[in-house]
Amino acid sequence: MSRKAFSGRSYVRGGINWSILGVGLLIIGFLLCIGGAWYLFSQHDQLNQGRQLQTHARQMQTTLQKQVNLMRTLIQRREFRNLAVELFTDSPVPDTDRLLRLLSNSQAPVQSLSAYPADLTEFDVTEPDGFMVLDMLLEAEEKGQSDFQMIPVPGQEYQLTSGHLVAGEAGETLGFLLVIWDGTAILESFRPRFNDAGFLGLQQTVGPSEFVSIKTYGDAPTRWVGAERLAVEGTQLQIAYPYLSVQTAEDAKKTSLLTVLLGMLLLAAGFIWQRRGERERRTPLQFMDLQADPPSPLRAPRPSPPPPDPPSLQPLPPTTVEPPPPEELQPAVEPTIPSEPVQESIAWDNVPPSETETRQDMEPIKPDFVQESSVALDGSIFRAYDIRGVIGKTLDAGVAVQIGRAIGSLALEQGAGPVVVGRDGRLSGPQLVEGLVNGVTQSGCDVIDVGAVPTGVLYYAAHELSDGTGVMVTGSHNPPDYNGFKIMIGGKTLYGPDIYGLFERIEAGQLASGSGTKTTQPVLSAYKGRIASDIHLQRSLKVVADTGNGIGGVAVADVLRAIGADVYSLFEEVDGEFPNHHPDPSEPENLEDLIVAVKALNADIGVAFDGDADRLGVVTPDGEIVFPDRIMMLFAADVLSRNPGATVIYDVKCTGHLKTAIEASGGKPLMWKTGHSLIKNKMKEEGAPLAGEMSGHFFFKERWYGVDDGIYSCARLLEILAAHEESPQEVLKALPSSVSTPELKVYMSEGETHPYVQAFKEQASFDGAVITTIDGVRADYSDGWGLVRSSNTTPVLVLRFDADNEQALKRIQNVFRAQMLAVNPDLELPF
């Protein structure tokens, strides 16, 4: 037999064996992929369920804790304590009606109040729940007040009961009070909303490891074995839930991914070997040669051409179209918010919208259109930075018509039209936009509606589609029933007298009349392309982004992925009721879910946004919240490296270390008043390339438009972090730090805060400190500072303290406490 014949038979037999092996690997690989994918999907659902239950449990704990703290505060008020001492001094068992009336004036649902003498040896334990009441009074005798307990009551679910000691000036026991609150009302106040499988329970301890269920939600088991519990401080109550460990679920997900990967490798190997055997069986024997290498079934990959540099973005050309006759009026089509972010291609060349995105035709608005209003126009909604009110109480579509007509009239006077309009994801947004658009067009001014977008996108569109004129319909970080308007005319953000001037214009009837047109213009693709054409990360970073069910969900992840980040989203679905947590990254409690996710995913950094995504919050992998004034140090160093000697503006709530950091980077620090409108206009006045606020607003004039845009600010932050060899955590840890508080709030009645701050300015004295009074009173010492100012949006005093160490912080707080109580001794201070 010839050599070629022998080699041919050998290859035919080998081909059959390769095919059998390839088919086997294909089957095994297919099974591994299916099994791994199923396990991955199941772990994903369990992880989401665990996070959701934990979030609801924390919300219940926070709500109940606030209610208990409120009750404690009411009992501890000086007025209540003095009256209790007076009554017990007159009688060992006094009439409690006057005390009950004091409590009844509050928001706490008090039901009854009973007095007991100082001597408890004669206590009648035969009265209802006698032993339980006696235990609470004895605990109050020992600690001053007892833990709150739920007690079942016939005819209703529960009463929440607490015992309190009444002591004289010398500390002697005068008697005891037993306060009974409406437990049923309290339970109703924090009823959770969730649809997935799982359960939550409010339980009360009855022993070292024994619990009795007070209220359950969801599919609760008969036995709570393995449940985790969150304690409510000052009570015997706990929130129970079956929380699946995030880390455990993540480990399981990694195992699933490895299984799927192995299956895919086996599929590839099986495919290659099976094709090899098939090819060799089809090869004629006379061409087989033992000396030749078997042909490879794989082709060498063709090298990918380098990506072209994106051309510079040109402004979107505004479209001028003659309006059709009024009789052709068509109803406006309101854009809807997708439950998942729309995957749009990046408009690198930013060609005119008619070539890249569908656009609706202009719609004429009849000038005699009148929107019925259920509420009267209230001057109080015209605030320092914006217009803001409560839907159905001080704000509705009819009020929006009047505001829109005033805005349109002002824009026409300044030759700054058309007015670009956008809105966030609040439920009241569509009706307010409809009223606003009708009002603007009644003035004769045109409108470009960019739909449901973050505030930064609206600002971008106002500069690209108009002469810097736009209105954002947003309630920002306020509760769901709030909404309002942020207004920019001709590139200037209205504030103070300019905003109140709109109210005066409406009252005086100084309103233009005409028939403007409305154009619907999508801008998200162009906005993403504008950022991605300028920013690209030198290395990829793993980022967890929490948009808090705000409007940022339609853009944040897409923009960050476009610049090269690996993004994991939290609460991305836009929901105007904010079911998971309040979208305000300046409050630490709203960052708890983000901290858990960053740790579980071993991410490089976590970022959070408020309801309209114009503010940014940052957390590190070890759970540290990096306050915005420290983030400003990074931004300042970066901007000043290209703009030496430039002015950097920051508000009065920022750390004293920021001034030093700006000077060290070669810049000129300038402290200014708090408020996005005030900061933006000060930037224009000073020609500053950068500004920032402690609240998380960052303003870039360098390479951007000088507006506060949380998404763009996040992209700039990632650009800086990715350019360092050190990890993001190491970079952020290296920033100058101090012992500081977040923003502290003292709640007052409407109209009380500004007079208080004025009195504080006149009376307070801070020896050895440098005093700044541009916005409240700030006292800077060599080792720290403190601040008291009035919020311009809500009736609260805003406080903040920052020092080199705990001792200095306490000293400064003590000085401020004494000075503040000297002005008003009834203040309830949070420090």
Side-chain angles (χ1 to χ4, degrees):
M1 184 178 293
S2 70
R3 179 179 177 83
K4 281 185 177 282
F6 176 82
S7 64
R9 287 195 298 270
S10 174
Y11 265 83
V12 170
R13 287 195 295 269
I16 296 173
N17 292 336
W18 280 117
S19 296
I20 294 174
L21 180 58
V23 171
L25 290 177
L26 285 172
I27 294 174
I28 296 173
F30 178 75
L31 293 176
L32 286 175
C33 286
I34 294 297
W38 175 85
Y39 190 50
L40 177 64
F41 180 78
S42 66
Q43 290 301 312
H44 177 75
D45 288 345
Q46 290 184 37
L47 180 61
N48 285 342
Q49 178 184 329
R51 285 176 176 165
Q52 183 187 51
L53 289 174
Q54 184 194 47
T55 298
H56 284 295
R58 286 176 173 170
Q59 289 173 343
M60 291 173 66
Q61 178 196 31
T62 300
T63 303
L64 187 54
Q65 189 70 68
K66 288 179 179 178
Q67 186 69 53
V68 169
N69 291 343
L70 172 61
M71 296 172 180
R72 281 179 167 178
T73 300
L74 294 171
I75 296 294
Q76 294 171 357
R77 282 188 308 171
R78 181 177 304 176
E79 181 183 6
F80 185 89
R81 294 198 308 269
N82 291 344
L83 180 57
V85 170
E86 176 186 337
L87 294 177
F88 272 99
T89 302
D90 295 339
S91 171
V93 185
D95 184 3
T96 58
D97 287 345
R98 292 172 62 189
L99 291 170
L100 185 60
R101 283 196 296 272
L102 276 181
L103 294 183
S104 299
N105 290 333
S106 68
Q107 297 178 352
V110 63
Q111 282 190 333
S112 65
L113 191 152
S114 302
Y116 295 89
D119 185 5
L120 295 175
T121 58
E122 301 298 327
F123 184 86
D124 184 7
V125 294
T126 62
E127 68 176 52
D129 299 306
F131 285 105
M132 183 178 294
V133 171
L134 179 59
D135 285 342
M136 296 180 72
L137 297 182
L138 291 174
E139 183 182 355
E141 184 177 31
E142 179 183 352
K143 301 192 306 185
Q145 63 181 9
S146 70
D147 288 342
F148 286 74
Q149 295 185 41
M150 284 287 187
I151 300 178
V153 178
Q156 63 184 54
E157 286 185 324
Y158 283 93
Q159 291 175 339
L160 188 61
T161 308
S162 59
H164 302 270
L165 171 70
V166 179
E169 294 183 0
E172 72 278 13
T173 299
L174 300 178
F176 298 90
L177 294 175
L178 185 74
V179 186
I180 297 179
W181 315 83
D182 185 354
T184 301
I186 294 171
L187 291 175
E188 290 296 326
S189 70
F190 63 92
R191 183 178 299 277
R193 297 170 55 253
F194 63 94
N195 300 320
D196 293 344
F199 60 89
L200 296 170
L202 178 64
Q203 299 181 342
Q204 185 162 276
T205 58
V206 294
S209 59
E210 297 181 12
F211 307 89
V212 59
S213 290
I214 302 297
K215 190 77 173 180
T216 58
Y217 305 93
D219 186 17
T222 56
R223 299 182 64 210
W224 293 73
V225 178
E228 296 202 20
R229 293 174 170 85
L230 301 175
V232 180
E233 183 182 354
T235 76
Q236 295 186 9
L237 301 175
Q238 294 187 334
I239 312 298
Y241 65 101
Y243 178 56
L244 175 66
S245 169
V246 174
Q247 188 60 54
T248 300
E250 287 295 337
D251 291 342
K253 287 176 65 176
K254 291 177 182 177
T255 302
S256 303
L257 289 172
L258 290 175
T259 303
V260 172
L261 179 61
L262 177 60
M264 294 177 66
L265 291 174
L266 292 178
L267 282 174
F271 176 78
I272 293 171
W273 290 345
Q274 196 268 343
R275 289 291 300 274
R276 176 177 178 177
E278 289 292 329
R279 182 174 58 255
E280 290 174 353
R281 284 202 305 274
R282 293 193 297 267
T283 303
L285 293 182
Q286 60 270 26
F287 293 110
M288 289 293 184
D289 191 337
L290 190 62
Q291 303 298 322
D293 292 330
S296 171
L298 297 177
R299 291 183 179 179
R302 292 182 297 177
S304 301
D309 294 332
S312 59
L313 192 69
Q314 300 298 319
L316 292 174
T319 306
T320 56
V321 179
E322 292 296 324
E327 59 268 15
E328 297 181 17
L329 175 66
Q330 298 294 327
V333 178
E334 179 60 42
T336 58
I337 302 174
S339 59
E340 297 293 336
V342 180
Q343 299 296 323
E344 299 179 281
S345 59
I346 299 298
W348 294 104
D349 53 355
N350 198 27
V351 295
S354 59
E355 298 177 26
T356 58
E357 300 178 274
T358 303
R359 221 183 70 184
Q360 296 181 6
D361 292 333
M362 287 187 172
E363 302 172 4
I365 306 295
K366 293 183 179 179
D368 58 350
F369 175 88
V370 177
Q371 179 80 39
E372 293 294 333
S373 178
S374 60
V375 300
L377 184 66
D378 186 348
S380 67
I381 68 175
F382 294 81
R383 300 172 180 261
Y385 314 139
D386 51 32
I387 300 173
R388 191 178 306 171
V390 180
I391 298 300
K393 294 183 178 179
T394 57
L395 192 60
D396 66 0
V399 173
V401 171
Q402 301 177 69
I403 293 171
R405 191 167 178 186
I407 292 171
S409 301
L410 181 60
L412 289 173
E413 287 180 5
Q414 298 187 8
V419 177
V420 181
V421 174
R423 68 175 176 87
D424 67 13
R426 290 169 185 266
L427 303 182
S428 57
Q431 60 170 300
L432 291 186
V433 166
E434 180 182 7
L436 177 72
V437 169
N438 284 323
V440 173
T441 53
Q442 284 178 39
S443 72
C445 187
D446 293 338
V447 170
I448 300 176
D449 186 352
V450 297
V453 297
T455 291
V457 179
L458 181 278
Y459 288 150
Y460 163 79
H463 283 89
E464 295 291 346
L465 301 176
S466 177
D467 189 22
T469 299
V471 181
M472 182 67 185
V473 179
T474 175
S476 187
H477 61 280
N478 285 275
D481 56 342
Y482 277 73
N483 215 326
F485 308 89
K486 293 180 179 178
I487 307 162
M488 185 168 62
I489 304 292
K492 177 185 178 182
T493 301
L494 301 192
Y495 71 95
D498 295 329
I499 289 181
Y500 198 75
L502 295 175
F503 173 69
E504 293 174 335
R505 179 186 289 269
I506 296 170
E507 291 285 279
Q510 298 175 350
L511 303 170
S513 296
S515 181
T517 59
K518 170 191 169 184
T519 304
T520 301
Q521 175 69 71
V523 293
L524 274 176
S525 285
Y527 169 81
K528 298 169 192 173
R530 169 68 173 82
I531 295 176
S533 67
D534 181 53
I535 298 175
H536 197 78
L537 307 187
Q538 293 187 20
R539 59 188 175 94
S540 181
L541 298 176
K542 183 187 288 188
V543 181
V544 181
D546 182 353
T547 51
N549 299 114
I551 194 62
V554 304
V556 168
D558 290 343
V559 169
L560 300 187
R561 290 187 181 113
I563 67 173
D566 185 11
V567 184
Y568 296 81
S569 294
L570 284 182
F571 314 128
E572 188 176 54
E573 182 178 357
V574 179
D575 187 335
E577 294 184 348
F578 310 121
N580 292 289
H581 65 72
H582 198 57
D584 183 359
S586 68
E587 296 291 343
E589 64 186 30
N590 297 325
L591 299 175
E592 292 176 356
D593 295 308
L594 178 61
I595 291 172
V596 170
V598 170
K599 290 180 179 179
L601 293 168
N602 194 28
D604 292 305
I605 194 171
V607 292
F609 303 83
D610 65 337
D612 61 333
D614 65 349
R615 294 196 291 140
L616 174 67
V618 178
V619 302
T620 63
D622 63 358
E624 179 189 359
I625 299 172
V626 186
F627 288 145
D629 49 3
R630 295 181 68 206
I631 298 296
M632 269 294 290
M633 299 177 191
L634 276 181
F635 287 151
D638 177 63
V639 171
L640 290 170
S641 69
R642 295 179 293 275
N643 301 270
T647 298
V648 176
I649 301 172
Y650 57 95
D651 77 326
V652 295
K653 294 183 290 184
C654 289
T655 175
H657 290 296
L658 179 55
K659 177 178 182 292
T660 305
I662 293 170
E663 291 174 336
S665 298
K668 299 176 183 177
L670 176 60
M671 183 187 298
W672 193 239
K673 303 174 184 179
T674 293
H676 70 94
S677 302
L678 305 175
I679 294 286
K680 277 181 276 195
N681 287 291
K682 191 64 174 177
M683 285 183 72
K684 293 186 69 174
E685 177 185 327
E686 297 290 333
L690 173 68
E693 291 185 281
M694 178 61 191
S695 60
H697 290 273
F698 300 104
F699 312 79
F700 287 89
K701 183 63 176 175
E702 187 214 38
R703 298 160 56 188
W704 201 240
Y705 301 91
V707 297
D708 44 333
D709 182 344
I711 303 174
Y712 179 78
S713 300
C714 181
R716 289 288 290 261
L717 175 62
L718 298 183
E719 178 187 43
I720 294 170
L721 295 175
H724 283 77
E725 294 182 358
E726 301 87 356
S727 69
Q729 177 157 308
E730 291 172 328
V731 174
L732 295 171
K733 286 284 188 183
L735 295 172
S737 62
S738 53
V739 180
S740 60
T741 69
E743 294 183 18
L744 306 176
K745 297 176 181 178
V746 177
Y747 294 89
M748 304 181 77
S749 299
E750 192 72 47
E752 289 184 349
T753 57
H754 289 286
Y756 176 87
V757 171
Q758 183 59 40
F760 188 74
K761 286 182 182 179
E762 297 170 358
Q763 299 179 29
S765 175
F766 300 92
D767 294 336
V770 177
I771 305 301
T772 303
T773 58
I774 58 173
D775 187 2
V777 177
R778 172 167 168 154
D780 279 84
Y781 296 90
S782 60
D783 56 354
W785 57 273
L787 169 73
V788 176
R789 62 175 295 272
S790 172
S791 169
N792 287 311
T793 57
T794 54
V796 299
L797 296 177
V798 179
L799 319 174
R800 193 176 184 227
F801 301 96
D802 182 277
D804 293 342
N805 51 63
E806 288 283 357
Q807 292 76 15
L809 186 73
K810 292 295 183 184
R811 189 194 77 245
I812 296 171
Q813 286 182 324
N814 288 337
V815 173
F816 268 81
R817 180 183 296 108
Q819 300 285 353
M820 293 183 70
L821 293 179
V823 177
N824 184 348
D826 293 329
L827 286 182
E828 296 289 343
L829 300 180
F831 63 92

